[in-house]
Amino acid sequence: MDVLVIGGGGREHAIVWAFKKSPKVNKIYALPGNAGIEEIAECENISVMDFENILKFLEAHKNIDLVFVAPDDPLAGGLVDFLEDKGYRVFGPRKNAAIIEGSKSFAKKLMKKYGIPTASYEEFTDYEKALSYVEKQKCPIVIKADGLALGKGVIIAENIDEAKQALYDMMVNETFKEAGKKVIIEEFLKGKEVTVLSFCDGKTIIPMVSSQDHKRAYDNDEGLNTGGMGTFSPSQCYTKQMEDYVYNNIMLKTVDAMNKEGRTFKGVLYFGLMITDDGVKVLEYNARFGDPETQVILPRLDSDFTDIVLSVIEGKLDKADIRWKKESAVCVILASGGYPKNYKKGFEIKIGDIDKDILLFHAGTKKGEGGKLLTNGGRVIGVTALGSNIDEARKKAYKNIEKIYFENMHFRKDIGIKL
Ligand code: AMP
Ligand code: GLY
């Protein structure tokens, strides 16, 4: 079968790579893709939000029988509905279910109503009311823009002045436009963060192997929050007991809650969890594969990816064969110097003799004149290695990074060290 993947980051490269391994898949297309995806799929520079041109692309490629929508924006914007309603077979939640990520206010209300453990919170649309509430709270306190804000809409305020500034930026300055007109002010949770992705067909939910993301830009968790500077799988602190608790008290409850609300969720449901002294709590839901979590999860998958994707779409996930490799995986992100703030693009990327078992998942890359590989974004390449344990995988990843160079290349040296 021929497959179209919507998106063009490291996550999408990993998804295209997983489809490529499947004996069922013939040709793969990606919109817009990137220089790495281009090596294994046909790409065209159509934006993930340009629904009309995505449809035209499908009409011009009648051989495509499966569309996989990977990023948050088109999911929240209803691309799945748009294409399904035209008769296409699409993987991803419809708009009314993708809201579980698209509106933090929706997600918090859902958890409160159905007794799913999460941080306590209040929500505000009135700046003055938010301000007077926050003045009475203890710090640190968490201020969140309601809508999608490219992963930047969460501020952990260490003191009241920072909290007030965050409210001003979101509600008065409208830094995140519409996304910040409503804010959530949330209790700060202390603990270790674990990500557990799951496949969900609306009835059955099956967790994938766990992972942990390093979100801050610099070593020792210093610097600004980024989209993710590296990941490893499995998490070293997520016990079997926690797994059972999360499955029964968070995952099943969420599927049931979404059904009761008339918002059946089909796709990948992402659980951002905090392991606190008071038990495991939900930090956030995402309606999709995480980036860069996917770059360590899919390489550990030991079953056919296409079969699982089809079983989700067909509502037959209970019959799916989902097995995982015993090996651990580490992914280190090579970023442009300056990311997540301003950075320059267009530097040539030189890649030496990389070990055969290393996976390079491209994010912000493009082909320049004469086929030169150029940087084209904040996160540039994810270097993934598998090993018999995290330590071995990490050493393999870092050894190979020595063979990759571009001007101002920045990466964390401690991915998979502080477990
Ligand atoms: P979110 O987009 O809600 O996952 O928030 C982004 C990041 O902010 C999370 O991965 C956490 O590191 C942090 N965060 C969010 N909410 C809280 C909270 N209530 N307490 C502590 N940290 C949080
Ligand atoms: N790595 C976090 C995310 O994909 O949202």
Side-chain angles (χ1 to χ4, degrees):
M1 95 179 47
D2 289 0
V3 178
L4 169 63
V5 175
I6 303 294
R11 162 185 52 211
E12 287 77 11
H13 194 180
I15 289 169
V16 168
W17 171 85
F19 273 127
K20 181 80 187 166
K21 288 202 307 179
S22 170
K24 288 205 169 59
V25 172
N26 180 28
K27 186 162 183 175
I28 310 174
Y29 299 84
L31 305 176
N34 60 37
I37 295 175
E38 235 174 76
E39 305 275 320
I40 49 174
E42 192 176 311
C43 300
E44 200 168 304
N45 194 14
I46 296 175
S47 148
V48 300
M49 293 308 283
D50 187 353
F51 292 8
E52 288 301 332
N53 276 314
I54 292 172
L55 179 62
K56 277 193 191 139
F57 185 88
L58 281 165
E59 283 166 352
H61 296 83
K62 296 240 178 288
N63 48 322
I64 294 174
D65 8 51
L66 170 65
V67 185
F68 190 107
V69 184
D72 50 0
D73 280 332
L75 289 170
L79 180 57
V80 173
D81 312 46
F82 178 73
L83 297 178
E84 274 187 352
D85 295 349
K86 300 221 159 31
Y88 291 97
R89 181 158 66 168
V90 192
F91 181 92
R94 289 174 74 90
K95 185 176 177 168
N96 74 347
I99 192 175
I100 198 164
E101 169 171 10
S103 167
K104 292 191 191 295
S105 160
F106 171 84
K108 294 300 287 190
K109 280 196 192 114
L110 187 85
M111 289 188 269
K112 199 172 191 173
K113 182 166 168 189
Y114 292 92
I116 298 165
T118 188
S120 60
Y121 79 105
E122 292 290 334
E123 76 173 53
F124 297 91
T125 45
D126 184 294
Y127 173 61
E128 296 298 332
K129 283 190 183 146
L131 212 52
S132 76
Y133 172 80
V134 93
E135 275 168 354
K136 293 184 222 102
Q137 304 306 309
K138 281 207 261 357
C139 284
I141 191 152
V142 186
I143 316 279
K144 298 184 175 184
D146 174 48
L148 295 176
L150 293 169
K152 295 181 186 140
V154 176
I155 305 291
I156 302 190
E158 297 294 341
N159 54 55
I160 289 296
D161 288 339
E162 274 178 34
K164 285 182 175 168
Q165 184 66 44
L167 290 175
Y168 182 83
D169 288 344
M170 286 180 198
M171 302 183 87
V172 182
N173 244 355
E174 299 185 9
T175 318
F176 303 119
K177 308 207 171 67
E178 279 299 312
K181 285 199 165 165
K182 191 188 275 181
V183 299
I184 308 289
I185 303 182
E186 190 174 283
E187 167 201 10
F188 175 78
L189 296 179
K190 221 170 148 227
K192 268 205 184 312
E193 261 184 89
V194 174
T195 301
V196 186
L197 307 178
S198 67
F199 293 107
C200 182
D201 69 357
K203 296 173 291 203
T204 305
I205 183 160
I206 300 186
M208 301 183 212
V209 281
S210 63
S211 65
Q212 276 177 234
D213 187 6
H214 297 260
K215 289 211 161 93
R216 301 291 191 114
Y218 303 117
D219 288 14
N220 298 317
D221 286 336
E222 284 171 18
L224 292 173
N225 251 333
T226 69
M229 293 299 291
T231 38
F232 59 91
S233 172
S235 157
Q236 304 292 291
C237 59
Y238 191 60
T239 61
K240 178 77 181 73
Q241 199 185 355
M242 288 176 198
E243 230 175 274
D244 292 344
Y245 173 83
V246 169
Y247 182 70
N248 290 307
N249 295 284
I250 296 178
M251 294 188 168
L252 289 180
K253 275 194 184 175
T254 304
V255 177
D256 185 49
M258 290 298 275
N259 282 332
K260 287 198 172 121
E261 294 294 309
R263 298 173 181 274
T264 296
F265 189 100
K266 289 176 85 170
V268 167
L269 188 51
Y270 170 127
F271 297 84
L273 305 171
M274 187 72 98
I275 301 177
T276 74
D277 290 343
D278 192 27
V280 184
K281 298 189 179 183
V282 179
L283 279 179
E284 64 161 344
Y285 293 112
N286 288 329
R288 52 173 174 83
F289 270 111
D291 191 347
E293 289 90 338
T294 308
Q295 291 90 306
V296 287
I297 300 290
L298 288 183
R300 295 191 61 207
L301 182 63
D302 210 13
S303 319
D304 186 80
F305 182 60
T306 313
D307 279 344
I308 302 172
V309 166
L310 293 177
S311 73
V312 169
I313 295 176
E314 290 162 5
K316 295 179 181 158
L317 189 57
D318 56 336
K319 309 252 166 19
D321 165 36
I322 307 182
R323 282 167 289 114
W324 301 96
K325 293 180 184 159
K326 289 245 169 353
E327 290 161 290
S328 302
V330 170
C331 172
V332 181
I333 300 293
L334 307 181
S336 298
Y339 171 77
K341 286 203 158 165
N342 296 336
Y343 54 84
K344 286 195 185 133
K345 300 195 271 196
F347 293 122
E348 186 175 357
I349 306 166
K350 296 202 174 100
I351 302 179
D353 196 11
I354 298 289
D355 292 341
K356 289 217 164 31
D357 57 348
I358 295 292
L359 296 161
L360 298 185
F361 292 123
H362 289 224
T365 66
K366 69 170 188 186
K367 284 267 164 70
E369 262 175 42
K372 273 188 193 164
L373 184 61
L374 304 176
T375 65
N376 192 39
R379 291 188 289 179
V380 178
I381 291 180
V383 180
T384 296
L386 290 169
S388 56
N389 53 39
I390 299 276
D391 202 40
E392 190 182 298
R394 177 174 52 80
K395 284 182 182 142
K396 276 164 81 175
Y398 279 110
K399 187 179 126 222
N400 280 275
I401 287 173
E402 287 169 17
K403 302 171 199 164
I404 305 176
Y405 172 82
F406 52 87
E407 213 168 306
N408 293 342
M409 180 168 105
H410 164 69
F411 60 94
R412 277 182 59 161
K413 316 283 187 298
D414 62 348
I415 303 301
I417 287 186
K418 271 174 62 181
L419 305 174

